[in-house]
Amino acid sequence: MEQIYIDKGNNTKLAKFLEQICNRNLLYNYIGAMDMAIESALNLVSSDATLTFSHHKDGVCFNLTAQSPVFHSLSNIDSDITHSEYLFLIKHLTDKINISEDGKTMELFFSIDGIETELVMHRKEKFKAYSFRKVAVVQ
């Protein structure tokens, strides 16, 4: 298990940490999805946090632990309007999410058995539709 401490607002450590993990574990194809999902989760945290990396049965897991139970209200991930953009990214870039330790920890699971073409196309369509809605709202 690998771990870093991330100061609030200082995501430069995250980029270096992810790069090292992806290099050691040959996860180059996943770094973009992992980075965006973890950065989105960090945006939900209003304090410093600890990020750990570990392998699990079907892939890898990143545990983001905050000092307070900031993830507690996110148990029903689809219902939080306040953080909807971050939640959308987290939900659609990860394969599974668990909230534990009374809301202090968010576990982000990524399957690494290989991304199926169908899954990639589904994700692309979701992001394309989301981006189109976002541009339409801004204009």
Side-chain angles (χ1 to χ4, degrees):
M1 182 166 66
E2 300 175 55
Q3 177 175 311
I4 62 167
Y5 185 80
I6 300 174
D7 302 317
K8 175 64 181 158
N10 185 3
N11 291 356
T12 54
K13 285 183 178 180
L14 172 63
K16 187 175 180 179
F17 182 68
L18 278 176
E19 191 174 310
Q20 291 171 350
I21 286 171
C22 289
N23 284 335
R24 275 194 295 276
N25 296 283
L26 304 174
L27 300 173
Y28 311 109
N29 294 339
Y30 304 92
I31 194 167
M34 290 174 181
D35 184 44
M36 287 183 70
I38 294 168
E39 280 193 29
S40 295
L42 280 169
N43 285 325
L44 298 173
V45 178
S46 59
S47 63
D48 299 347
T50 303
L51 180 67
T52 59
F53 167 81
S54 60
H55 291 272
H56 72 95
K57 181 182 171 187
D58 298 321
V60 296
C61 177
F62 290 90
N63 289 358
L64 182 62
T65 303
Q67 296 170 354
S68 60
V70 295
F71 303 120
H72 181 67
S73 64
L74 306 178
S75 294
N76 186 358
I77 241 166
D78 292 324
S79 66
D80 191 314
I81 304 291
T82 310
H83 301 103
S84 60
E85 184 173 339
Y86 299 132
L87 295 174
F88 176 86
L89 290 171
I90 295 166
K91 181 179 178 183
H92 291 286
L93 290 172
T94 60
D95 294 299
K96 183 179 174 185
I97 303 165
N98 284 337
I99 297 173
S100 59
E101 296 183 40
D102 294 326
K104 288 185 179 181
T105 299
M106 178 183 278
E107 300 170 313
L108 306 171
F109 294 92
F110 297 89
S111 296
I112 59 167
D113 291 341
I115 296 180
E116 298 174 16
T117 305
E118 189 176 317
L119 177 60
V120 171
M121 295 307 295
H122 177 70
R123 286 181 176 173
K124 277 178 85 173
E125 290 301 316
K126 285 278 198 181
F127 282 107
K128 189 176 182 181
Y130 179 76
S131 297
F132 181 74
R133 281 193 318 245
K134 193 171 181 178
V135 168
V137 170
V138 172
Q139 292 176 357

